[in-house]
Amino acid sequence: YGSASAIGTHGSASATGWNGSASETGERGSASATGERGSASAIGTYGSAIATGTCGSASATGTCGSASATGERGSASATGTCGSASATGRRSVAVVTGEYSMVDAVGETAVSTATRFYWRVRKGALLLCRWRNGEYLLHSILIADPNLDGQLVKVHEGKIVDEF
């Protein structure tokens, strides 16, 4: 049932075991939670968060942050420009909200609310896109093309494009 927290520049936090959580606030930090129902959060520039195990979740907020969740029902979320989110496992979800971010969901669901972003195509995955065009909210659903499995593609306004 442990938890860990680090606040400040260059800090890190780690929690291992059941129901643990880890939190790091500040620049260049990282947070890691390993085990059942753990969660990890990193807030600030260059932060990263990793949650490994069943029901884990990882969240990174800030420029260039990354979040990764591995395990069944895991979720990863990256908020901010150039962030990255990756979720691996059954019923997992990876979400990005910032422009030029990268989203990757192995075999499950990827979500983006950015107009321009990158998607690591995974066989069997769905990509749910929602973006703003002026006063309108638009959306699209992309189904992974098995021929593109593992490739990084550019997505602009819900369509795969060659360049932004």
Side-chain angles (χ1 to χ4, degrees):
Y1 299 120
S3 65
S5 179
I7 299 173
T9 306
H10 309 297
S12 67
S14 178
T16 303
W18 289 74
N19 297 328
S21 64
S23 176
E24 195 292 321
T25 304
E27 294 196 15
R28 299 184 191 110
S30 65
S32 176
T34 304
E36 300 272 329
R37 297 181 190 91
S39 64
S41 176
I43 300 172
T45 306
Y46 307 112
S48 66
I50 298 170
T52 304
T54 304
C55 302
S57 64
S59 176
T61 304
T63 305
C64 300
S66 65
S68 176
T70 304
E72 189 168 327
R73 295 185 298 263
S75 63
S77 172
T79 304
T81 304
C82 300
S84 175
S86 177
T88 305
R90 290 185 45 220
R91 296 183 268 178
S92 61
V93 177
V95 180
V96 294
T97 62
E99 297 297 308
Y100 306 105
S101 294
M102 194 280 290
V103 65
D104 183 359
V106 179
E108 290 296 330
T109 306
V111 179
S112 174
T113 59
T115 303
R116 298 171 294 272
F117 63 96
Y118 298 91
W119 175 35
R120 174 82 58 197
V121 179
R122 300 295 183 176
K123 184 178 178 182
L126 289 176
L127 172 62
L128 310 174
C129 306
R130 186 165 187 143
W131 68 96
R132 182 170 294 283
N133 186 343
E135 63 184 67
Y136 300 102
L137 283 173
L138 303 172
H139 65 274
S140 70
I141 299 173
L142 301 177
I143 300 170
D145 180 344
N147 297 321
L148 296 177
D149 188 35
Q151 293 186 30
L152 188 64
V153 297
K154 296 175 185 175
V155 179
H156 183 250
E157 295 182 342
K159 296 179 192 146
I160 295 175
V161 297
D162 291 328
E163 57 186 62
F164 292 128

